[in-house]
Amino acid sequence: MIIRFQPMGKVQEAYYGDNLMECIGKASIPLNAVCAGEGTCGKCRVKILTGDGGPLDPAEKKHLTEFEIRNNWRLACKVRIIEDITIEIP
């Protein structure tokens, strides 16, 4: 599967079920995540532009606003790769 990172235009290969935050690290893209992927800080926000990030995790429901959820914002530490995906990293 392919992950496309915007606005930098990088591309990273991934396997089904890989964690998005780990894939971002493999692509050498800096991402604020002070809780190291535990889902407790809510700082690793990314926007899914195309593709599906799977079901929302309870940590995402806690940290993301309804507006963010409706507009495809997710916590990278809680997204699993299930298909090709394009994300925006703010």
Side-chain angles (χ1 to χ4, degrees), residues 48-67:
I48 297 178
L49 301 175
T50 64
D52 186 0
L56 284 173
D57 182 271
E60 293 178 294
K61 292 176 183 176
K62 177 181 175 185
H63 291 289
L64 300 172
T65 66
E66 285 297 319
F67 177 82

Side-chain angles (χ1 to χ4, degrees), residues 32-46 59-60 62-64 68 74-78:
N32 188 2
V34 296
C35 71
E38 295 296 317
T40 57
C41 73
K43 295 187 181 281
C44 61
R45 286 174 167 83
V46 297
E60 293 178 294
K62 177 181 175 185
H63 291 289
L64 300 172
E68 289 172 319
R74 300 290 301 270
L75 298 182
C77 67
K78 296 301 176 185

Side-chain angles (χ1 to χ4, degrees), residues 17-32:
D18 281 355
N19 177 276
L20 179 58
M21 191 164 83
E22 292 173 8
C23 294
I24 292 169
K26 288 178 186 175
S28 300
I29 298 171
L31 183 67
N32 188 2

